[in-house]
Amino acid sequence: MLIVTFVLCHIVRSIARPFIKGNAANIFGEFMAIFQLSCCLQELALTDHQFSLPARMLRLFSTLLATTYVCDGYTGNIGWILETLIVHKRILLYLALVIAQLSGGFAAYLIAPYYFPQHFFQIVDQDHSCQSPDPIHRFYLEFICTLLLFLLDWYTRRHEELNRYLTTVYMIIICYYYYGYIDVYLNPIMAGTMTIQCSSDNLAQHLLIYWAAPMAAITLSLVIIRLIGGTPSIKVKED
């Protein structure tokens, strides 16, 4: 179903692309990027029990890398679009992009179970603890790992192919190293998708660890870069 998801999303993009321009194209692009990524990650999360850990990481690597090629340059990460707010101070565009990504993630959550309803309900109903019980430790790891990922992305943006592979490999290494213990995801919506079968976190902890930590890391990075006079290469497309 991963291939089916990629093909269907590509068809939708191809049909819509001639009719959507400017900021509307950015908003639609972010919606489609996170929708496609979330659909694929839900399938991975809900079928991973059939594979060994190395096979799981290979599937995740392939999905994340392929997404960087087919999403027209859009991020699929709600933290990365903070650049639109902090650097360009485009508050309304930032809010529109956030809403688009949240809508894309929610749409994927509603649609994906129809791909594999038996897997979905069997696994979601399990009482499975996915993470360490120490929220402070998890917040710290999510913050540091996202900070390092952002810096890696920042300093390799001029080399697009290298950027794609290095950032994807970095995410896989982190996910592999902490798999089943902390589960660092470095992407708020990706975390929400990949922990859909978990019941160990309450909402406040989930928002603190998987949303506040990575967004704080990116915000701090951008503020420091601005203070030292750096001019960031914007990850989100601008007109």
Side-chain angles (χ1 to χ4, degrees), residues 77-87 94 98 139 142-144 146-151 154 157 186 188 211-228 232:
N77 190 324
I78 203 167
W80 254 237
I81 62 176
L82 280 168
E83 294 180 46
T84 305
L85 176 65
I86 297 174
V87 178
Y94 170 74
V98 170
F139 177 93
E142 192 77 26
F143 179 89
I144 294 299
T146 304
L147 181 66
L148 294 176
L149 174 61
F150 185 85
L151 293 175
W154 174 269
R157 286 185 185 182
L186 316 177
W211 289 74
M215 294 180 77
I218 295 170
T219 301
L220 178 61
S221 300
L222 288 170
V223 169
I224 293 174
I225 289 169
R226 292 203 68 189
L227 288 176
I228 63 177

Side-chain angles (χ1 to χ4, degrees), residues 29-210:
E30 290 295 345
F31 173 88
M32 289 302 301
I34 202 63
F35 174 80
Q36 176 176 318
L37 183 60
S38 294
C39 282
C40 293
L41 292 178
Q42 282 191 66
E43 179 171 351
L44 296 184
L46 301 175
T47 58
D48 265 355
H49 63 287
Q50 304 172 17
F51 301 91
S52 65
L53 183 55
R56 296 174 188 178
M57 294 298 105
L58 180 60
R59 296 171 78 215
L60 181 58
F61 172 81
S62 301
T63 300
L64 294 178
L65 183 62
T67 300
T68 67
Y69 281 97
V70 301
C71 287
D72 295 336
Y74 295 100
T75 64
N77 190 324
I78 203 167
W80 254 237
I81 62 176
L82 280 168
E83 294 180 46
T84 305
L85 176 65
I86 297 174
V87 178
H88 281 278
K89 298 181 173 62
R90 301 185 65 179
I91 299 176
L92 293 180
L93 177 59
Y94 170 74
L95 292 176
L97 292 172
V98 170
I99 292 172
Q101 288 197 344
L102 291 174
S103 299
F106 185 68
Y109 176 78
L110 294 178
I111 292 174
Y114 292 100
Y115 287 171
F116 33 81
Q118 292 183 346
H119 290 300
F120 184 85
F121 290 111
Q122 287 174 3
I123 297 178
V124 169
D125 287 343
Q126 292 179 358
D127 182 15
H128 175 61
S129 177
C130 297
Q131 294 92 10
S132 159
D134 183 1
I136 302 301
H137 185 206
R138 291 162 59 191
F139 177 93
Y140 170 77
L141 284 174
E142 192 77 26
F143 179 89
I144 294 299
C145 291
T146 304
L147 181 66
L148 294 176
L149 174 61
F150 185 85
L151 293 175
L152 175 64
D153 171 74
W154 174 269
Y155 286 109
T156 60
R157 286 185 185 182
R158 294 183 179 180
H159 310 282
E160 188 174 358
E161 290 297 317
L162 181 65
N163 177 277
R164 285 170 170 156
Y165 280 90
L166 285 181
T167 54
T168 304
V169 167
Y170 173 85
M171 292 182 70
I172 296 303
I173 291 173
I174 296 300
C175 288
Y176 180 88
Y177 186 77
Y178 291 109
Y179 190 88
Y181 171 57
I182 300 295
D183 290 341
V184 181
Y185 291 109
L186 316 177
N187 182 331
I189 297 180
M190 178 179 167
T193 300
M194 297 295 281
T195 58
I196 193 172
Q197 77 276 22
C198 303
S199 60
S200 58
D201 283 336
N202 59 40
L203 179 60
Q205 282 191 6
H206 182 89
L207 293 176
L208 174 69
I209 295 165
Y210 294 124

